[in-house]
Amino acid sequence: MKKRILYSLVLSAFLLGSCDDDFLERAPLDEISNETFWEDEDQLVLAVNALYANVKAKNTVDMENMGDNTLWPSSTQYQLIGSGNFGNDLSTLNTEWTTQYRGVRQANAFLENYQKADVDPARREALAAEVRVIRALMYSYLTSFWGDVPLVKNTLSIDEVYVPRNPKEEVVNFILQDLEEAAQHLPAEIPTGANLGRMSKGAALALKARVALYNGRWDVAEKAAKEVMDLGVYQLFTSGDPSRNYYDLFTYKGKLSRNNNRETIIARPHLEDLVLHNLSREIQVPDQVVRWNPTKSLVDDYLMEDGLPIEISPLYSVQTYEDVFKNRDPRMTQTILEPGAAWGGRYDGRPIAENENPDIFMVPKFSSDRRGAVTITGYYFTKYAELSTVGLVGRDANDIHLLRYAEVLLTYAEARLEQGKLTQEDIDMTINLLRDRVGMKHMNLAELAENGLDVREEIRRERRIELALEGQRYFDILRWKQGELLAQDVKGTNVNWLSNPASAANLRKDENGFIVAYTGRSFDPSRNYLWPIPLSQLERFPDLGQNPGW
């Protein structure tokens, strides 16, 4: 296994560094080259395997820092982007640019050479289809970040992209066409065994639905989402306990390798002792400030169990911290840690002498003594926290879920709404399936009207709640043109609800007692809906031009 991985890494370097120019028209005898490599199925598979390294893993979750669901305790570059306080010299901009184009270049190298191999044509085209899906994923990020970007369809002889930008519409058309072609050659079955985690027909169609939705192609999004639904191979994950069904999906119980997860369509699987990350520890780190701090904005968006927002539900009455979690959409306590729940953060905000069981969370902790997890908003996540690895550094083998069947259902509902075609039947076959999984009251269009609730707002709320901490929130805010949300102060719990309010005495609070955890954010609609072209790219190729306002 280790030799195979090493060979894939060498191959990655080959795909990145190869060029069209021959040196004295002689194939190298001691290294991988186009002349000697593209010969059989094993070589094609190795090339595709190397390309999978470009698919985002935990970085997908890290992008949550650009939105309003969570707050990192120290400054990160994603957080700076979300705050509006950055320039085009920010290194993450160039990292994203070069990373995505690296994947595009590797894909182009494969697609230029794969037909040379002596392989069954159907198998050869299926492998090429996997490559097209990955290339489409790269371009989907590029267009979401920058709008107009260079559309590169061949392998250039230089590392950077030195060509003019194409209109976003043209690139999106290319993405959708690539995904449609890929879907024709990929198997419908969910990959298992040695093929675990590979792209499938459902992956091509689900990504097509997402890209179409992001770009207002409502009819295309509806059609692609429905095609995924009609495949009949995907279903929402359940572990047998409605109070844990949603939570368990993001722990080891939901790992693809267990062969009981028919919901996750695109993922980065992880393997114990081989491919690991640190997400669970970052969520409830037991001796430092947690890296993922849920915001008041997210907490407040969870409906009450009667299906109404906290602003109008008679069930919402909060006098204590524990009251915040009562009578809410069950996904709240499977996402946000509630008092009385198991956790890995050790000693919480209670005095050590009174903390008889540090494995159970009761009170948020605001001061660091290196003996328990500290929060800056008063809230902690439990979603994505595999408790068995919270106490270990970099030993988390949780799969990272990039695109789930749940998102496909949400896409279908939103696309139908935006075309003026949404019916109660549509809601029942999409959003209400998500609610059934956790035992939440059904969404009913007639009841929404009776309570003066906007259907669009409620469908968007459903998406935020279902996909929290999965890297989608920032992109949703941008495509919905709600950038003003990113300019608001990031707040946390109300210190007056705490059993020990003195523990938060030194924290900044607003006039109502809510923690103000981060301030000074801004959003300029004339420029912040797109990222600036990275300075280093402009210096190399000024003809790329700059996005408006930058």
Side-chain angles (χ1 to χ4, degrees):
M1 172 65 78
K2 290 182 179 178
K3 287 184 178 179
R4 193 176 184 89
I5 292 173
L6 178 59
Y7 192 52
S8 291
L9 292 175
V10 173
L11 179 60
S12 294
F14 157 66
L15 290 171
L16 285 170
S18 64
C19 67
D20 293 336
D21 298 329
D22 293 332
F23 180 69
L24 300 182
E25 298 182 353
R26 293 181 57 188
L29 301 179
D30 58 350
E31 63 184 55
I32 299 172
S33 72
N34 280 331
E35 289 78 6
T36 61
F37 181 75
W38 308 96
E39 295 179 346
D40 56 36
E41 182 175 345
D42 285 344
Q43 291 175 330
L44 292 189
V45 170
L46 281 170
V48 178
N49 289 351
L51 188 58
Y52 272 94
N54 295 283
V55 177
K56 288 181 181 293
K58 178 183 167 290
N59 182 251
T60 302
V61 185
D62 292 339
M63 290 193 298
E64 281 284 304
N65 286 292
M66 296 188 292
D68 58 353
N69 286 339
T70 188
L71 180 64
W72 200 265
S74 57
S75 180
T76 72
Q77 295 205 8
Y78 279 141
Q79 188 167 289
L80 287 175
I81 291 171
S83 74
N85 300 313
F86 69 103
N88 72 335
D89 59 343
L90 193 70
S91 63
T92 289
L93 305 180
N94 195 56
T95 298
E96 288 288 356
W97 179 279
T98 56
T99 298
Q100 307 313 317
Y101 274 113
R102 180 182 64 202
V104 168
R105 188 175 191 281
Q106 285 184 245
N108 289 343
F110 181 96
L111 294 171
E112 287 176 355
N113 291 284
Y114 79 101
Q115 291 184 339
K116 300 175 183 177
D118 184 15
V119 181
D120 174 73
R123 173 62 172 154
R124 198 167 55 195
E125 292 304 323
L127 290 169
E130 292 183 45
V131 171
R132 293 182 191 280
V133 176
I134 296 173
R135 182 171 66 177
L137 186 61
M138 304 295 102
Y139 270 125
S140 72
Y141 282 117
L142 287 165
T143 54
S144 292
F145 292 147
W146 287 286
D148 299 346
V149 294
L151 177 56
V152 185
K153 303 177 185 179
N154 62 302
T155 307
L156 301 180
S157 58
I158 48 179
D159 291 334
E160 293 82 9
V161 180
Y162 293 145
V163 294
R165 290 196 281 168
N166 297 73
K168 180 180 180 181
E169 286 290 303
E170 181 181 343
V171 183
V172 170
N173 287 339
F174 176 77
I175 295 171
L176 297 176
Q177 291 168 4
D178 234 14
L179 290 170
E180 182 61 31
E181 180 175 348
Q184 305 308 312
H185 297 284
L186 287 168
E189 309 83 53
I190 296 176
T192 59
N195 293 318
L196 194 74
R198 304 190 81 87
M199 298 300 180
S200 63
K201 186 183 188 74
L205 292 172
L207 183 57
K208 181 180 179 182
R210 175 192 284 181
V211 172
L213 188 80
Y214 275 19
N215 290 279
R217 313 269 185 103
W218 313 120
D219 56 335
V220 178
E222 176 194 344
K223 182 177 182 293
K226 190 61 165 61
E227 287 179 307
V228 177
M229 296 158 69
D230 289 343
L231 288 175
V233 299
Y234 297 105
Q235 61 187 37
L236 298 179
F237 173 87
T238 60
S239 60
D241 181 355
S243 67
R244 295 181 60 88
N245 278 337
Y246 180 79
Y247 167 79
D248 284 343
L249 173 60
F250 302 93
T251 68
Y252 283 5
K253 291 184 178 181
K255 284 181 65 65
L256 295 179
S257 59
R258 294 203 171 196
N259 294 322
N260 65 340
N261 177 357
R262 304 185 65 83
E263 176 174 352
T264 300
I265 301 175
I266 300 178
R268 279 296 297 270
H270 288 75
L271 304 174
E272 294 183 51
D273 299 323
L274 188 61
V275 183
L276 302 163
H277 55 83
N278 201 42
L279 181 56
S280 292
R281 180 175 174 81
E282 291 176 358
I283 286 174
Q284 295 180 6
V285 58
D287 57 354
Q288 300 172 34
V289 180
V290 298
R291 308 304 193 255
W292 305 94
N293 293 264
T295 63
K296 177 181 183 293
S297 170
L298 174 61
V299 170
D300 286 354
D301 235 8
Y302 285 91
L303 297 172
M304 302 302 293
E305 64 182 13
D306 59 6
L308 298 176
I310 60 173
E311 294 83 4
I312 64 174
S313 173
L315 298 178
Y316 187 72
S317 177
V318 177
Q319 304 298 322
T320 68
Y321 183 80
E322 292 82 357
D323 292 341
V324 175
F325 300 86
K326 292 180 179 178
N327 305 316
R328 305 295 287 271
D329 181 329
R331 284 171 293 187
M332 177 175 174
T333 54
Q334 295 181 57
T335 303
I336 314 294
L337 189 70
E338 68 172 325
W343 78 328
R346 297 178 69 225
Y347 294 99
D348 61 14
R350 292 169 288 175
I352 298 295
E354 299 177 14
N355 197 334
E356 298 177 354
N357 185 0
D359 293 331
I360 300 298
F361 166 73
M362 292 302 298
V363 178
K365 186 183 188 76
F366 296 102
S367 59
S368 179
D369 56 8
R370 309 290 293 183
R371 303 179 70 176
V374 176
T375 173
I376 60 174
T377 63
Y379 298 117
Y380 303 86
F381 279 106
T382 189
K383 181 176 178 177
Y384 258 130
E386 169 60 45
L387 296 186
S388 66
T389 62
V390 168
L392 307 174
V393 178
R395 304 297 299 173
D396 196 346
N398 241 353
D399 291 344
I400 303 296
H401 308 268
L402 276 66
L403 204 165
R404 300 189 284 122
Y405 186 53
E407 180 186 335
V408 173
L409 299 179
L410 291 164
T411 293
Y412 183 77
E414 183 177 346
R416 294 279 291 177
L417 169 72
E418 296 299 341
Q419 296 175 88
K421 300 194 298 186
L422 185 71
T423 66
Q424 184 61 47
E425 181 181 2
D426 295 328
I427 295 294
D428 291 341
M429 63 190 286
T430 57
I431 288 173
N432 284 338
L433 293 182
L434 303 179
R435 293 190 176 193
D436 283 340
R437 173 178 23 202
V438 297
M440 174 63 179
K441 185 181 186 299
H442 276 191
M443 177 183 286
N444 183 285
L445 295 177
E447 291 181 3
L448 294 182
E450 291 173 5
N451 288 284
L453 297 174
D454 181 74
V455 177
R456 178 176 288 107
E457 182 178 335
E458 294 310 307
I459 286 181
R460 291 177 176 180
R461 182 201 304 272
E462 196 74 20
R463 183 178 174 91
R464 181 184 193 182
I465 296 309
E466 179 67 28
L467 302 181
L469 214 61
E470 296 182 48
Q472 296 298 304
R473 178 62 177 170
Y474 174 74
F475 301 107
D476 285 339
I477 288 175
L478 295 189
R479 70 186 180 86
W480 292 332
K481 300 300 180 186
Q482 294 181 330
E484 68 277 1
L485 296 176
L486 298 178
Q488 297 178 3
D489 288 347
V490 179
K491 298 186 179 182
T493 193
N494 195 310
V495 298
N496 300 316
W497 298 339
L498 302 173
S499 59
N500 54 345
S503 66
N506 294 329
L507 300 179
R508 181 186 302 174
K509 298 172 282 291
D510 68 12
E511 64 277 10
N512 297 312
F514 290 99
I515 295 169
V516 179
Y518 189 62
T519 190
R521 295 163 63 94
S522 64
F523 189 92
D524 183 349
S526 69
R527 72 173 194 167
N528 285 127
Y529 281 110
L530 292 174
W531 288 7
I533 301 299
L535 176 61
S536 57
Q537 298 301 321
L538 281 176
E539 289 175 337
R540 292 182 176 94
F541 187 54
D543 286 348
L544 283 171
Q546 186 55 278
N547 277 329
W550 293 98

